Amino acid sequence: MKTKNIIKSLVLFLFCIAKTSAQEVLTLEDAIKIALENNFEIKIAKNNLKIEETNVAIGNAGMLPSATASIVDNNSIQNSSQTRQDGTSTSLDNAKNNSLNYGVSLDWTIFDGMKMFAKYDQLKEFQNMSDTQLKLTILNKVSNVNTVYYDLIQEQQKLADLDSTIVISKKRLEFIQNRYTIGKNSKLDVLNAQVDLNTDLGNLVKEKQVYANAKTLLNQLMARDLKTDFVVSDKIEVDRKLQLDALMILAEKQNPELLIQIINKKISELELKQIKGERYPTVKLNTGYNFSDAQSSLGFTSQSSSHGLNYGFSASLNLFDGNAQNRSEKIAKMQIDNSKLAIDQQLIQLRSNLIVAFQLYLTNLDLIDLEENNTAIAKQNIQITADKFKIGTITSVEFRAAQLNYINSRIRLSNAQFQAKLSEITLRELAGNLNF
């Protein structure tokens, strides 16, 4: 009767799932929210965007006039002598001389070959570039958080499976020891069962370390206390409805890396416009209001002062600069050609990555179906094996093999789900469509 109760306990523990402790469950949405608020790289990218937004100003493009206030005060003490045309002369020791000039002036470039307008548009493109780089940074971090989060789910499931197999191994050892006591099992059977239990305990210790490391990594991505403890949800749900054509269309519209190359091309084109503007004249207006006061201890005039408005304009045109203008334009055109090539290269790379990732995604979906079937078969197998082990028609070693087949099938299923989820994350990241 005692043996029968042990066998029942063995079968019962086979399908039990380890319960998580009463810790707060960290959802994926919360993990992403915390990462977006705290991650250092995202903060840096946001600051860079603010810098570029600040730079987008008509004054920074040279469209506004510049006003300057100035004051110059010169003083001197000299021993002076003067000889006039009529032959008379005069001299004075420690003669004091001073002059004071002050006023305001305004300069305004009213035409520079349209360079200022191209510069302003270029500043806007730099802002777009920084905004796209911020999106790329966010996308990468969200992808990393997703990956580590689902890896934690997988490791958490692994821990539960290993806990279950340890329970089974303990019950198996207890059962064999009882049979050994009544002479139905040998000492070798007991030793084998003990070795198997120790192996399971060792695997659990290693898995706990892997799990702890993954927790630390997720805390790092969220930029919070690395010792913060938490548990994650217990399911990996894979979207089975992704379509390659739809992903390809999205990727060509909103993949950040491709958009960066497109913006680079626009920046190069605007740079060429500014260089071509050097072929046109530059026209500037200038005006000012100045005050002047001078005093001299020796000379015909002992004091003079003036104040008034001055104004005018200037124009300049580059007639010849050693062909520097032609060279600059040629270089700018080659940079535009390079940016076009970079777009084509990035587009081909993007399409290739999408095709490879989608094929891996389909393969992983097939593996999930296969491992689900294997797990169902392994579950039936260990149920039958447990019944046979109870009546003594199979050995302890055969039962152990069935036990390992079942646990390994569960671990493989969990891994297949994780790999399929990674493929889904990769596809959404390439398409610029990863939700955050």
Side-chain angles (χ1 to χ4, degrees):
M1 188 69 180
K2 184 177 180 180
T3 301
K4 183 179 291 185
N5 289 336
I6 292 173
I7 293 296
K8 287 181 179 180
S9 299
L10 178 65
V11 176
L12 176 64
F13 275 102
L14 176 65
F15 304 109
C16 74
I17 299 176
K19 294 182 179 180
T20 58
S21 59
Q23 294 171 311
E24 182 180 358
V25 176
L26 176 69
T27 65
L28 176 61
E29 290 77 12
D30 287 340
I32 292 174
K33 180 181 178 182
I34 295 171
L36 293 180
E37 291 175 351
N38 297 342
N39 186 269
F40 297 111
E41 292 181 39
I42 293 176
K43 287 182 177 181
I44 292 172
K46 285 181 178 178
N47 286 337
N48 289 336
L49 176 58
K50 290 179 181 178
I51 291 172
E52 296 302 335
E53 288 174 346
T54 305
N55 278 331
V56 180
I58 57 176
N60 198 25
M63 296 182 183
L64 296 179
S66 62
T68 305
S70 64
I71 180 169
V72 178
D73 185 15
N74 291 319
N75 300 274
S76 67
I77 299 176
Q78 297 177 344
N79 297 327
S80 302
S81 64
Q82 294 179 352
T83 301
R84 302 184 179 91
Q85 292 290 336
D86 60 3
T88 61
S89 64
T90 183
S91 64
L92 179 65
D93 292 338
N94 298 322
K96 294 182 179 180
N97 302 283
N98 64 72
S99 65
L100 177 64
N101 294 278
Y102 58 95
V104 293
S105 61
L106 183 143
D107 293 295
W108 191 2
T109 300
I110 60 172
F111 182 76
D112 64 353
M114 309 303 288
K115 288 188 295 182
M116 63 181 73
F117 296 100
K119 177 67 174 178
Y120 185 65
D121 290 338
Q122 192 178 54
L123 291 173
K124 290 181 180 179
E125 291 303 327
F126 281 128
Q127 179 185 339
N128 291 336
M129 172 75 78
S130 187
D131 182 55
T132 305
Q133 287 173 337
L134 172 60
K135 291 177 181 177
L136 178 60
T137 302
I138 292 175
L139 199 62
N140 288 336
K141 291 307 165 187
V142 171
S143 176
N144 291 340
V145 169
N146 271 269
T147 299
V148 177
Y149 188 89
Y150 285 110
D151 181 45
L152 269 171
I153 295 179
Q154 179 196 208
E155 301 302 337
Q156 197 167 265
Q157 290 173 344
K158 228 182 256 190
L159 282 175
D161 291 334
L162 290 174
D163 281 337
S164 297
T165 198
I166 287 172
V167 170
I168 296 171
S169 295
K170 284 181 178 179
K171 287 299 177 180
R172 171 177 165 237
L173 176 60
E174 181 183 350
F175 179 72
I176 292 174
Q177 284 175 332
N178 290 333
R179 288 174 63 89
Y180 171 71
T181 302
I182 61 177
K184 290 188 175 182
N185 276 108
S186 65
K187 183 66 174 178
L188 181 60
D189 291 329
V190 176
L191 294 176
N192 283 334
Q194 184 65 61
V195 169
D196 291 337
L197 174 59
N198 291 341
T199 299
D200 295 337
L201 290 171
N203 291 335
L204 180 62
V205 170
K206 294 176 184 177
E207 184 56 37
K208 284 182 178 179
Q209 182 60 48
V210 173
Y211 182 63
N213 290 343
K215 273 189 175 182
T216 301
L217 179 57
L218 186 55
N219 279 327
Q220 177 189 336
L221 290 172
M222 292 187 289
R224 66 179 187 176
D225 187 351
L226 300 180
K227 295 181 180 178
T228 303
D229 199 13
F230 60 92
V231 293
V232 294
S233 58
D234 56 0
K235 290 183 180 180
I236 298 178
E237 296 181 358
V238 182
D239 186 355
R240 290 174 169 263
K241 298 179 180 179
L242 298 183
Q243 298 293 325
L244 180 58
D245 291 341
L247 291 169
M248 198 76 75
I249 293 172
L250 282 175
E252 293 180 10
K253 288 182 179 180
Q254 57 190 31
N255 178 270
E257 292 180 334
L258 179 60
L259 292 178
I260 286 173
Q261 297 300 335
I262 293 173
I263 294 172
N264 272 330
K265 177 175 173 291
K266 292 179 181 178
I267 291 173
S268 297
E269 290 171 344
L270 292 168
E271 185 68 26
L272 177 60
K273 282 187 177 181
Q274 293 178 68
I275 293 173
K276 285 184 175 181
E278 297 289 344
R279 292 188 176 277
Y280 297 90
T282 299
V283 180
K284 295 182 178 180
L285 297 179
N286 60 80
T287 185
Y289 200 93
N290 296 299
F291 297 82
S292 176
D293 183 69
Q295 295 181 5
S296 176
S297 298
L298 183 65
F300 291 104
T301 304
S302 61
Q303 191 273 338
S304 68
S305 64
S306 65
H307 63 87
L309 178 70
N310 61 78
Y311 55 91
F313 79 96
S314 64
S316 62
L317 176 63
N318 178 26
L319 298 178
F320 182 72
D321 59 0
N323 288 323
Q325 177 70 27
N326 292 333
R327 287 194 297 271
S328 297
E329 290 185 15
K330 286 180 180 178
I331 292 172
K333 289 177 181 178
M334 286 187 284
Q335 289 174 336
I336 293 174
D337 289 339
N338 282 342
S339 63
K340 290 178 181 178
L341 293 173
I343 292 174
D344 293 339
Q345 182 185 31
Q346 187 66 45
L347 190 56
I348 291 175
Q349 184 66 51
L350 177 60
R351 289 170 177 169
S352 174
N353 290 342
L354 274 169
I355 292 172
V356 171
F358 190 77
Q359 187 57 53
L360 184 60
Y361 164 76
L362 295 178
T363 300
N364 287 326
L365 290 182
D366 290 340
L367 285 175
I368 290 177
D369 296 336
L370 178 62
E371 294 303 338
E372 284 178 345
N373 185 49
N374 283 339
T375 301
I377 294 172
K379 180 178 179 181
Q380 285 183 323
N381 182 50
I382 197 169
Q383 288 174 331
I384 296 171
T385 304
D387 291 336
K388 290 186 176 181
F389 184 53
K390 178 180 68 173
I391 61 178
T393 57
I394 63 170
T395 65
S396 172
V397 174
E398 290 174 310
F399 178 78
R400 172 66 176 178
Q403 174 192 356
L404 290 178
N405 283 338
Y406 177 67
I407 296 302
N408 289 336
S409 69
R410 287 178 59 88
I411 292 175
R412 288 196 306 272
L413 174 58
S414 177
N415 183 64
Q417 291 171 336
F418 174 62
Q419 293 300 326
K421 192 64 182 180
L422 284 187
S423 299
E424 178 193 335
I425 293 170
T426 299
L427 286 169
R428 292 189 181 280
E429 183 180 5
L430 289 170
N433 192 38
L434 191 59
N435 295 328
F436 47 90

